[in-house]
Amino acid sequence: MSRVMQPPPAGAARSQAPSSHSHAPERLQAIILRRTDYGEADRIIQCITPRGQRSAIAKGVRRPRSKLAGGIEPLATNELILRRGKGQLQVVGSARMQVYYRRILADYDRLSFAYEALALVRHGVAMVDEPAWFGLTQQLLVALDDGVPLALAKAWFYVRYMVALGQELSAWHDVNGQALQPRQHYRYSAQERGLAPSPHGSIGAGHIKLLRLMGQYDIAAVAQVGGTEDYLADVLALAQHHAATV
């Protein structure tokens, strides 16, 4: 099955919530973040879409012959038709799976990180509901499915996760507001949430270049850049440490 990534348009800034006055159904690509059993046969789903977060009820989906079941799977890009419900939840009118990232299931470490990332996105969406979450998550799932080195996928995700929250680690200026220098060494300051000059720091020019690449380019492009192996472990630790400050 071919996979066509369709991230949200550049410059999209805010979630486009469905109008409370509109009865027109929405047809959306969606990645499921959470499924919660409800009643005897229903499920409530939380998902991200190119228009922002959506919550909906899939009625009867837990029944054996439900036509909706295959279209609300996690670790997949699904196509949903959502229509207005009686309350705040929309109703899943139809659902079909577009792409299933099945190769992730064959690797426990990749599977574990995929679910960790979905949980982080769920946390992030609660703070900042932006359409960009969909493209970020879809890119990560594609990379994990395609066999991009796990350390690279993790580091890229943590960097872009903080960008989506508006709390990115600056790869251009230190904690004093000074431009980072190629011959200077730095350490991460958890208190100031940035890079601080330090003669004994482990972060140098190569690490900074890799951080800049991850902050500016899609993971597929970063994966094509050679010579990053010597810096990747340190950048992963740095990006993970910064993400843990949220």
Side-chain angles (χ1 to χ4, degrees):
M1 184 182 298
S2 63
R3 296 185 307 205
V4 179
M5 296 182 57
Q6 299 180 0
R14 296 293 175 189
S15 171
Q16 301 172 28
S19 171
S20 59
H21 302 291
S22 173
H23 294 273
E26 294 185 292
R27 183 187 297 271
L28 299 166
Q29 284 187 306
I31 295 173
I32 307 300
L33 298 179
R34 191 209 300 260
R35 303 185 303 179
T36 304
D37 289 350
Y38 181 78
E40 294 184 359
D42 304 340
R43 276 199 175 116
I44 295 173
I45 62 169
Q46 179 189 9
C47 61
I48 48 174
T49 81
R51 296 183 184 176
Q53 176 186 202
R54 296 290 187 270
S55 295
I57 185 167
K59 295 184 177 181
V61 72
R62 288 155 53 208
R63 294 194 179 103
R65 296 184 180 181
S66 171
K67 295 181 179 180
L68 300 178
I72 60 166
E73 289 296 316
L75 304 183
T77 296
N78 305 288
E79 184 183 71
L80 306 181
I81 294 180
L82 303 179
R83 53 184 174 81
R84 185 180 177 187
K86 293 182 179 180
Q88 294 184 344
L89 289 175
Q90 292 178 273
V91 176
V92 180
S94 72
R96 70 180 184 90
M97 182 184 294
Q98 289 186 325
V99 184
Y100 185 41
Y101 306 105
R102 65 179 69 252
R103 288 191 292 268
I104 296 175
L105 300 175
D107 186 310
Y108 176 78
D109 291 334
R110 288 176 182 271
L111 180 62
S112 296
F113 182 66
Y115 278 111
E116 176 190 337
L118 292 179
L120 284 172
V121 170
R122 192 167 65 240
H123 177 66
V125 166
M127 293 187 287
V128 182
D129 186 6
E130 298 285 353
W133 290 116
F134 178 81
L136 168 62
T137 307
Q138 188 181 52
Q139 282 192 63
L140 176 68
L141 293 177
V142 169
L144 292 174
D145 193 58
D146 279 347
V148 168
L150 183 56
L152 177 62
K154 286 183 173 183
W156 180 87
F157 174 79
Y158 289 131
V159 168
R160 298 299 281 266
Y161 175 74
M162 296 301 284
V163 169
L165 287 177
Q167 302 182 43
E168 62 266 34
L169 173 64
S170 177
W172 302 94
H173 296 91
D174 66 20
V175 295
N176 301 312
Q178 300 298 311
L180 299 178
Q181 300 298 318
R183 296 185 180 181
Q184 176 69 273
H185 284 81
Y186 300 88
R187 63 174 179 82
Y188 180 73
S189 170
Q191 182 177 1
E192 298 181 85
R193 304 180 76 230
L195 297 177
S198 172
H200 304 294
S202 60
I203 305 302
H207 303 90
I208 292 168
K209 288 179 181 178
L210 183 53
L211 277 172
R212 289 174 178 174
L213 285 172
M214 290 181 173
Q216 293 178 299
Y217 294 98
D218 291 348
I219 189 169
V222 177
Q224 298 300 314
V225 178
T228 63
E229 296 83 1
D230 292 341
Y231 311 107
L232 185 54
D234 288 335
V235 169
L236 170 56
L238 175 61
Q240 190 171 18
H241 193 177
H242 186 60
T245 64
V246 176

